[in-house]
Amino acid sequence: MLPDSPSAQTQGRPALILASSSRYRRELLERLRIPFSTAVPAIDETPRAGETPEATALRLAGEKARAVAAALPAGAARTLVIGSDQVATFDGRQIGKPGTHERALEQLQSMRGREVLFHSALSLLDTSTGQTDSVDVVTKVRFRDLPDAALDAYLRAEEPYDCAGSAKSEGLGIALLEAIESDDPTALIGLPLIALTRMLLAAGYPLLEAQS
């Protein structure tokens, strides 16, 4: 639960923690060239009965941030905790991470030629105030109508079994897609950086100042 390495305040910047075990989110946050640490939030990610995909994503993003913040030592310096969660849905059904080749193939077969909505929720918790800024960024993805052999070949090449929707748009998975519609191009990968940088700047985090 505690961060993997301290992200101490530097030159007036609050510490920054990414509440996630996802390597994809970590790689995206590294693009901002700012110091941060990561911590794995211990929460139950099961959707609740009757919960909409947007509500599930927003709730889990907030719970991840709060779980990590609650584990910080008493009296810790001001820290900004980033929580994020993604839920894919079509035909009113939520689509989770497949986990296996067989489930991934079933996902891709059911989605070919169809439009899928990806809800990428983001929460930024400020431990100095307890306030959380949250947003749900929706990405519309239309899959190509490809034969089983092509879908199977893709899965064996990239093994995207830890990705909701069973395709990595930042890799070979882009060949499975006809169109992507989103206000934030990194949202589909798992961490909406346009929304995140807006939140960080609003929280007074000096993203664009010279760093020593």
Side-chain angles (χ1 to χ4, degrees):
M1 179 72 74
L2 292 177
D4 55 1
S5 60
S7 180
Q9 291 180 307
T10 56
Q11 297 184 346
R13 295 184 182 87
L16 191 64
I17 301 175
L18 176 62
S20 177
S21 61
S22 167
R23 68 179 186 275
Y24 308 112
R25 293 191 177 109
R26 181 172 192 143
E27 289 168 358
L28 284 169
L29 188 53
E30 287 173 346
R31 295 185 186 182
L32 300 185
R33 303 183 182 185
I34 52 179
F36 70 93
S37 57
T38 61
V40 180
I43 67 166
D44 180 1
E45 299 190 34
T46 305
R48 293 174 179 170
E51 194 172 46
T52 66
E54 176 183 4
T56 298
L58 285 168
R59 175 177 61 82
L60 293 178
E63 286 183 1
K64 289 176 182 179
R66 289 191 294 273
V68 168
L72 294 175
R78 182 192 180 202
T79 302
L80 300 177
V81 185
I82 303 166
S84 187
D85 191 78
Q86 186 179 79
V87 176
T89 179
F90 83 111
D91 282 349
R93 296 186 295 115
Q94 293 193 25
I95 307 166
K97 299 174 183 177
T100 67
H101 180 89
E102 291 72 24
R103 290 180 182 175
L105 184 57
E106 289 175 1
Q107 281 191 1
L108 293 180
Q109 288 170 331
S110 65
M111 295 186 298
R112 57 184 163 198
R114 306 290 299 280
E115 183 177 87
V116 180
L117 298 182
F118 288 80
H119 292 267
S120 302
L122 179 69
S123 289
L124 183 70
L125 186 153
D126 187 337
T127 62
S128 67
T129 63
Q131 293 183 338
T132 301
D133 190 359
S134 300
V135 68
D136 173 41
V137 179
V138 180
T139 303
K140 295 181 180 180
V141 177
R142 189 164 63 253
F143 282 75
R144 290 191 168 114
D145 189 356
L146 297 173
D148 289 351
L151 301 179
D152 183 76
Y154 163 69
L155 292 174
R156 295 187 185 282
E158 199 153 56
E159 300 183 346
Y161 308 134
D162 59 348
C163 299
S166 303
K168 296 180 183 179
S169 62
E170 70 275 24
L172 180 59
I174 198 71
L176 276 60
L177 311 180
E178 281 191 343
I180 298 175
E181 297 179 33
S182 179
D183 293 331
D184 199 326
T186 57
L188 185 57
I189 306 174
L191 189 66
L193 290 183
I194 290 177
L196 177 59
T197 52
R198 173 187 61 76
M199 291 178 177
L200 289 172
L201 290 169
Y205 194 97
L207 280 173
L208 300 175
E209 294 183 8
Q211 302 181 29
S212 59

